[in-house]
């Protein structure tokens, strides 16, 4: 069974907060995937500290929606895709699955391409071969989940997340950002349509639709005894909130750190609009050791995030279509588009940024149903979203839709 979990209910004596953490750290890996690297480095190199505010706002939105998703799974015992599958008629369910699957494919494209770039930087492996290697390694990670259960999978992903954090933040030690620039970057503003496109890409890379779908599944599988008593459910919901805050604070620090590194190191240097060019500039400015550490972080990001992406795709398919396929088989099928793009010579950094823009357009399709479900007293009982949380979620949805509408208008009118 694809989404089978082998997690045993926690004994009372082991019910401490630390032992209840984990699902959010798996979801958080989606927030530091190679698509983030491309969007954040390009933003920092091209516009300095201008778009720091986008990452701060996006990370706050991510905390909000990931908590809602996890809480939905814990309180109801069903994932977001399962709830939608029960409510949509057959045709609507299939159409919804198509858009969700396109989002999952865009995610997979970014992650495989990013891993392939990392292997090329480290070992000069051709990009198509690197993509295949990333695909094979991600299959091995998914095998851990299938054979040994979610706790072991969580441990493997958290280990990779630590490597990602070190890899992407190490350069800040040698090239600290300008405090005045950081403060100025917190003021919301744009500079032309290209900065808006980058902001949409950064938003798509930070608030990840597939992570919203997946987190509800991870949380319900991780805490199968959550609804055993009202007191136990309240404990799990509290632990879930802490899990999300800690995991997304870490992911947010990594994202903002990438932009700050690019702003402090790569500004005004030609060729830094690609990951390869940014890596070369980092090596020239900070030395080969930091360059290697950065590339290792990128590789860990690609390996972990592509595994999580395949898991999310299986969750979406099962919830909406009631179809289960082996994770490894899904991994193999979804690998094909990325390998094709790498083989025909498409610019990999451009592909990464475009994939993140696709993700940003998928966000409302995940957020609006999630907001409606978690606001329902009938579905959530005492754990429904409060007024402040509902308003914050509504504002997030409006901002995301408005940004995407503005991006479309600028793109098709040729303005900016």
């Amino acid at each position: 069974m694809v989404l089978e979990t082998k997690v045993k209910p926690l004994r009372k004596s082991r019910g401490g907060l630390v032992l209840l953490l984990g699902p959010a750290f798996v979801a958080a890996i989606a927030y530091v995937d190679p698509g983030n690297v491309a969007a954040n480095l390009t933003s920092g190199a091209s516009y300095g500290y201008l778009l720091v505010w986008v990452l701060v706002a996006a990370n706050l939105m991510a905390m909000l929606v990931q908590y809602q998703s996890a809480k939905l799974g814990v309180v109801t015992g069903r994932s977001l895709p399962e709830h939608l599958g029960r409510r949509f008629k057959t045709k609507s369910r299939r159409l919804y699955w198509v858009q969700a699957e396109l989002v999952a494919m865009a995610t997979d494209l970014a992650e495989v391409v990013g891993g392939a770039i990392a292997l090329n930087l480290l070992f000069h492996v051709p990009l198509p071969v690197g993509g295949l290697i990333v695909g094979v390694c991600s299959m091995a990670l998914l095998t851990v989940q299938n054979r040994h259960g979610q706790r072991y999978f969580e441990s493997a992903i958290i280990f990779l997340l630590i490597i990602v954090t070190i890899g992407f933040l190490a350069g800040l030690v040698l090239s600290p950002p300008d405090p005045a620039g950081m403060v100025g970057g917190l003021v919301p503003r744009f500079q032309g349509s290209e900065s808006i496109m980058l902001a949409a890409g950064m938003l798509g890379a930070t608030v990840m639709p597939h992570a919203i779908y997946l987190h509800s599944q991870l949380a319900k599988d991780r805490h199968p005894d959550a609804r055993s008593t009202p007191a136990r459910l309240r404990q799990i919901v509290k632990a879930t909130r802490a899990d999300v805050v800690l995991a997304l604070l870490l992911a947010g620090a990594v994202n903002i750190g990438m932009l700050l590194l690019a702003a402090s190191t790569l500004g005004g240097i030609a060729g830094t609009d690609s990951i390869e060019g940014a890596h070369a500039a980092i090596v020239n400015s900070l030395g080969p050791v930091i360059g290697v550490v950065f590339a290792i972080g990128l590789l860990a990001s690609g390996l972990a995030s592509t595994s999580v992406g395949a898991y999310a795709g299986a969750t979406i398919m099962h919830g909406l279509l009631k179809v289960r396929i082996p994770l490894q088989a899904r991994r193999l099928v979804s690998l094909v588009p990325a390998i094709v793009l790498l083989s025909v010579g498409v610019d990999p950094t451009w592909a990464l940024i475009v994939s993140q823009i696709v993700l940003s357009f998928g966000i409302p399709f995940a957020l609006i149903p999630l907001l409606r479900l978690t606001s329902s007293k009938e579905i959530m009982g005492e754990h429904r979203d409060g007024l402040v949380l509902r308003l914050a979620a509504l504002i997030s949805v409006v901002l995301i839709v408005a940004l995407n509408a503005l991006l479309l208008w600028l793109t098709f009118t040729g303005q900016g």
Side-chain angles (χ1 to χ4, degrees):
M1 302 289 286
V2 171
L3 301 177
E4 179 181 357
T5 179
K6 299 181 181 179
V7 179
K8 296 180 180 179
L10 292 169
R11 300 191 304 269
K12 272 192 173 182
S13 60
R14 300 184 61 192
L17 177 62
V18 173
L19 293 175
L20 298 176
L21 303 180
F25 286 85
V26 175
I29 201 70
Y31 291 84
V32 289
D33 75 348
N36 293 80
V37 180
N40 295 335
L41 290 182
T42 300
S43 173
S46 302
Y47 294 99
Y49 301 97
L50 177 73
L51 298 179
V52 169
W53 68 273
V54 175
L55 286 182
V56 173
N59 201 63
L60 292 174
M61 292 180 192
M63 283 187 185
L64 171 66
V65 300
Q66 293 303 144
Y67 171 61
Q68 288 179 306
S69 175
K71 185 174 68 169
L72 178 69
V74 166
V75 172
T76 67
R78 293 192 181 96
S79 68
L80 175 59
E82 286 174 328
H83 277 285
L84 297 176
R86 289 167 60 89
R87 283 163 172 73
F88 288 156
K89 294 182 180 180
T90 301
K91 184 176 180 179
S92 298
R93 190 167 64 243
R94 289 173 178 170
L95 289 173
Y96 192 93
W97 172 77
V98 169
Q99 68 80 27
E101 193 66 34
L102 288 174
V103 165
M105 289 176 62
T107 301
D108 210 38
L109 170 66
E111 292 152 355
V112 173
V113 169
I117 292 174
L119 286 172
N120 180 262
L121 294 175
L122 287 168
F123 308 111
H124 306 291
V125 176
L127 290 177
V129 177
L132 284 173
I133 293 173
V134 170
V136 171
C137 291
S138 66
M139 287 182 189
L141 276 173
L142 292 170
T143 300
V144 170
Q145 195 280 336
N146 269 351
R147 293 187 178 179
H148 302 290
Q150 188 171 318
R151 287 297 296 272
Y152 288 93
F153 183 67
E154 286 175 6
S155 298
I157 295 299
I158 290 172
F159 173 73
L160 290 173
L161 180 58
I162 293 171
I163 295 176
V164 170
T165 302
I166 296 171
F168 290 152
L169 297 186
L172 288 176
V173 176
L174 298 180
S175 181
D178 173 39
M182 292 170 57
V183 173
L186 295 175
V187 179
R189 63 193 191 282
F190 296 108
Q191 287 182 5
S193 60
E194 187 175 345
S195 68
I196 297 175
M197 180 174 290
L198 267 177
M202 293 161 69
L203 187 64
T206 306
V207 182
M208 303 288 275
H210 76 289
I212 298 171
Y213 296 121
L214 176 62
H215 201 166
S216 53
Q217 180 75 39
L218 291 169
K220 84 179 186 71
D221 285 352
R222 180 67 156 73
H223 305 297
D225 66 332
R227 296 172 307 284
S228 56
T229 66
R232 179 61 171 169
L233 182 55
R234 284 191 288 270
Q235 179 194 28
I236 298 298
V237 169
K238 181 179 179 181
T240 295
R241 184 164 54 246
D243 190 29
V244 170
V245 170
L246 290 173
L248 271 296
L249 278 176
L250 179 61
V254 173
N255 276 320
I256 293 171
M258 281 189 281
L259 186 149
L260 296 180
L261 178 64
S264 64
T265 306
L266 308 181
I269 300 176
T272 53
D273 55 348
S274 69
I275 291 180
E276 297 93 333
H279 176 263
I282 289 172
V283 170
N284 290 333
S285 300
L286 305 179
V289 173
I290 295 298
V292 169
V293 172
F294 176 86
I296 291 174
L298 179 62
L299 178 59
S301 169
L303 290 175
S305 56
T306 194
S307 303
V308 172
Y311 196 171
T315 296
I316 293 167
M317 178 177 285
H318 170 61
L320 289 170
L321 301 185
K322 311 300 180 187
V323 174
R324 294 184 187 269
I325 61 173
L327 283 172
Q328 289 84 351
R330 180 182 176 83
R331 163 73 280 171
L332 187 63
V333 171
S334 61
L335 185 63
V336 173
I339 300 300
V340 169
L341 283 177
L342 290 172
S343 299
V344 300
V346 171
D347 177 65
T349 301
W350 177 84
L352 286 175
I353 294 174
V354 170
S355 73
Q356 302 312 294
I357 294 173
V358 172
L359 289 182
S360 72
F361 285 101
I363 295 171
F365 291 97
L367 281 188
I368 293 173
L370 179 65
L371 175 60
R372 294 189 63 182
L373 289 168
T374 56
S375 299
S376 170
K377 181 74 172 178
E378 180 182 356
I379 294 171
M380 301 296 290
E382 66 176 280
H383 299 286
R384 69 174 293 200
D385 293 340
L387 178 61
V388 173
L389 194 59
R390 293 200 301 272
L391 287 175
L394 180 61
I395 291 171
S396 298
V397 172
V398 170
L399 288 175
I400 292 168
V401 172
L403 180 60
N404 289 335
L406 181 59
L407 173 62
L408 273 178
W409 182 75
L410 290 171
T411 300
F412 288 105
T413 60
Q415 298 189 30

